[in-house]
Amino acid sequence: MCLGVPGKVLTVSDDGVTALVDFFGVRRELRLDIVDEPVKPGDYVLNHVGFAIRRIPDEEVQETLALFDQILKDQAEGDLMAEDVRGEIAAARGAPPAPEGEGRGR
């Protein structure tokens, strides 16, 4: 199974081909070639392997972010990918990182 990761569009290139997107404090440039509709700064998109695959409708943003947080919460401590994402979320929210070996849960 593949998971699209939600992120907030910060900027869109002048040619509309790429966007700078924030994923829980980590900024990445995404391609916009296959996204289902135009995006603008402030929109949320789902990312899959460097491509925005869907603009998240405004009325679904909070639900989508809550679902992603729940997935991370339910993931067992010690899962390296989940630990990394938890750390990025904590950093984005200004929380100090957990001491080594104690995980980074919220």
Side-chain angles (χ1 to χ4, degrees), residues 1-105:
M1 177 175 82
C2 296
L3 178 65
V5 179
K8 185 176 183 177
V9 176
L10 301 175
T11 62
V12 176
S13 64
D14 290 338
D15 59 9
V17 175
T18 61
L20 181 63
V21 180
D22 181 278
F23 300 98
F24 305 100
V26 176
R27 295 176 177 196
R28 297 282 186 254
E29 187 172 50
L30 296 185
R31 298 284 305 195
L32 300 175
D33 307 81
I34 60 173
V35 71
D36 57 348
E37 60 185 285
V39 299
K40 63 187 181 314
D43 286 343
Y44 278 80
V45 294
L46 286 180
N47 166 55
H48 180 66
V49 294
F51 287 86
I53 58 173
R54 179 176 185 257
R55 188 183 74 77
I56 303 170
D58 294 339
E59 61 274 7
E60 295 178 17
V61 168
Q62 291 307 314
E63 181 181 356
T64 300
L65 295 174
L67 176 62
F68 198 77
D69 277 344
Q70 187 64 43
I71 290 168
L72 290 174
K73 180 181 173 190
D74 291 345
Q75 185 61 38
E77 292 293 325
D79 179 281
L80 295 178
M81 185 180 83
E83 293 294 326
D84 187 49
V85 173
R86 284 185 190 109
E88 296 300 339
I89 292 170
R93 293 179 177 163
E100 190 69 30
E102 290 187 21
R104 297 186 205 169

